[in-house]
Each structure stands twice: as C-alpha cells, then as structure tokens.
Amino acid sequence: MLNSFQTSGNSPGPERCRVGILGFGTVGSALARRLTGPRSIPSLELSHICDRRARDKRARQPQPIAELAWTDRFDDLLAADVDVIVEAVGGAEPAVEYVRGALLAGKSVVTSNKLVIAHQGPALLGLAERQGRQLRYEAAVGGAMPIVRALGDGLAGEQVTRIDAILNGTTNAVLSRMDADLCSIDEAVADACARGYAEADPSADLDGVDAAAKLCILCMIGFGLRVQPAQIDTRTSARILPEDFRKAGLRGGTIRQLAHAEYDRDRSTLVAWVAPTFVRGDSVFARATGPENAAVITGAFAGRITMTGAGAGGDATAVAAIGDLIAIARDRAAIVPVPVLTEPETIKGLTDLKLAEAV
Ligand SMILES: NC(=O)c1ccc[n+]([C@@H]2O[C@H](COP(=O)([O-])OP(=O)(O)OC[C@H]3O[C@@H](n4cnc5c(N)ncnc54)[C@H](OP(=O)(O)O)[C@@H]3O)[C@@H](O)[C@H]2O)c1
C-alpha cells in the first residue's frame, strides 16, 4: 500500500512577509488581486499600495483591496512597515531611484522592470547584498517563463554558451498572427491591441529594444557579462510583409523575432542581436504563438535546455513576482530588521577582560 501524504502548502511561519506594491497598473493590480484573493499566499500579506493616481484607483477597487493603505507618495511607502516593495511602475527613471531608495531604506525589492535591471542591475544587486536584502527580478524577463531562476540557479553548474529566445510577447503575437492569416502587420498590431497584448505604439517591441534589454539581463546571468542594451544589434520587425511569411513557408518554416547571444569564453567574444529571423517549422520558436515566449539555452555540458510560457499579461507576470516574494519570505534574514552591531565593552571569557586589554 502506498503511503499517503497530506500537505499544508506554504508554511506561514511565525510572521507573514509584508508587501507593498509600487505602481498599480496591469502587473501591480493583478498581483494585488492574487495576494488578496481566495488563492492568496499564506506567507505574504499585502498591506500597502503606492500609485501616482492612488485616490482615483482606490475608489474603483472592491474590498479588500480598497481598504489597504494607499498613498501617492513613495516616501510614505518607504516609511511603512513593509518588508518588500514590488516595483511595477515601469520605465528606467524614476524606477531605478525607487529601487535604490527601497534598498537603502532596508526593504527587499521585487521588480518586473527589465530597464532597471538591464541598466543598473549589477550596481543595485551589489547594494542589495551590502544591505543584507534581496533584489529579485524574475518577472523582468520572459513573463511567467522562469528563465531568470533557470539560468541563475538551475543551470548554475552549466557553462552556458548560447541563448536563443523569443523575449517579446507583443511582437510574437503580431508575427504569429501574420503567420496564421497572412494579414498585414497593421491588422496584426490592431488585433494584438484589441486582445491587450500590445500598446497603441508597439515600436519598442517591434524594433527589438524591449527584447534587447531582456537579452542584456540574460547575458549578465548566463555569461556573467555586463552588456548595455545599446550594445545589442537590433533589426526591426515592423517592415515584415505577408509575402515574407509566404516565402518562409515555402522553405518549411516561419518568421519570429529572436534574441540571440553566443559567448566564446576562450576568445572572450560575445555576439548578441535581436532580429526577425527564419525559424524551422518544427522548432519551439515556430510553435510559440500569441504572446508566448520561448528559449533554448545551450551549455557545454548538458546541451540544450528548452522552455516556453506566457511572456506577458498581468496574471502571468504576477506568478513570477509571487515566486520572488515567496523566495524572499523564506529568507527571514532578508526581511527582519538589520541588526545594529555595537562594540562590546568587555569580552566574556575565563575572566572578564576590558576590550582594550584583550586586543
Ligand atoms: N504588462 C505585462 O504584461 C508585463 C509583463 C512583464 C513585465 N512587465 C513590466 O512590469 C512593469 C509594469 O508594467 P505594466 O504593464 O503593469 O505597466 P502599467 O500598466 O503602465 O502600470 C504602471 C503603473 O505605475 C503607475 N506609475 C507610473 N509612474 C509612477 C510613479 N512615478 N509613481 C507611482 N506610480 C506610477 C502608473 O500610473 P498611471 O495609471 O497614471 O499611468 C500605472 O498604474 C514594466 O516594467 C513592464 O515592463 C509588464
């Protein structure tokens, strides 16, 4: 007979980790709903929301979100008794300063912002370490596809040599729609907007700027390299025509926006680009449709590791942010107040010595 096991889910521990959300948009609001809904996480307690239009947004929220502490001042969030701040405002500034300020105030930080990590990741991660806090950013790359943790933890024993990935859900939604219907790019963009996969101006997505920032982060984790987004060669997907898909189909494949990075450690050379690329019809990339992301990570020892998953959307991205929050909640040292170290006046030993006598 098999033993049966009963699990109680995450242990809430003696105290719950208190969370404040900064930016109540697509990601921030989806996260708030998860953390306060019927399938909330026992170890996490959402207590504060900071948004520049806090008053308006709060008025439109149902309970229990409306009864949380809301503010439109970041300083209020810093002064609040939250352990972790989730940065979900987007853009490089003032988000970088918010993340820095939160770490300096002794908070751990979860960010979904690729620009913050691509531009200032190493400096902010260094600051987090010095502060004894955590800075986590799974949601910044790949949406719910857990590529940050896979590269940084799961494949820490690998020597990663190459990364090929679809990292922009908007562009993938547009190109896969053109692929399926042989429609114009304008029609495909309109369809992606209507489904909530694209903003009115998706140029940063189609031009490869968004994927380039994410690729920088993967180069940092996978290769240990500091690469700036401007150093990544990008080619736009905005000029792809239905005819290009017809030709790709005749060759047995299709077109996707790929981010590619290959690092030759012996020669110390990195090749990195984002571009619309021919992919074989039987590849993981051709099968990624709508806002899906996909990645193939190649290593010297384990060969190819493949992953796919929802690359965008509030609920999917909230999954990644919650994973980071749970990891922080498990690390009590990252949320309890930093101990104040004081110099002892005497050293307790066989005999009590004055500190000055002991050294
Ligand atoms: N959406 C996705 O599918 C997705 C997926 C992965 C990662 N991300 C990343 O997640 C972050 C947030 O994306 P999002 O789609 O949630 O953006 P969003 O819908 O525009 O939400 C951002 C929110 O922050 C507020 N805000 C902006 N600046 C602020 C400031 N200085 N102080 C306080 N609040 C401020 C905005 O207020 P207003 O309403 O006034 O604009 C808005 O409510 C971005 O870095 C994005 O790249 C998003």
Side-chain angles (χ1 to χ4, degrees), residues 22-28 50-53 57 87-91 94 98 112-114 139-140 143 199 210 311-314 317:
L22 172 60
F24 195 76
T26 305
V27 173
C50 175
D51 188 279
R52 62 185 172 193
R53 291 190 292 127
K57 292 184 184 176
E87 184 277 302
V89 296
Y98 287 158
S112 55
N113 191 330
K114 71 237 143 197
E199 292 176 13
D210 174 272
T317 308

Side-chain angles (χ1 to χ4, degrees), residues 165-236:
I166 292 172
L167 296 174
N168 184 271
T170 300
T171 306
N172 204 63
V174 170
L175 295 183
S176 61
R177 174 74 205 276
M178 292 180 78
D179 183 17
D181 298 349
L182 293 180
C183 62
S184 72
I185 195 158
D186 290 344
E187 284 172 272
V189 167
D191 180 63
C193 286
R195 291 170 192 267
Y197 302 151
E199 292 176 13
D201 176 13
S203 51
D205 300 299
L206 294 173
D207 290 352
V209 175
D210 174 272
K214 293 168 178 170
L215 189 61
C216 287
I217 298 174
L218 299 186
C219 289
M220 176 181 82
I221 310 168
F223 306 141
L225 296 176
R226 291 187 185 194
V227 184
Q228 286 297 313
Q231 295 175 291
I232 307 262
D233 203 0
T234 54
R235 299 278 187 277
T236 186

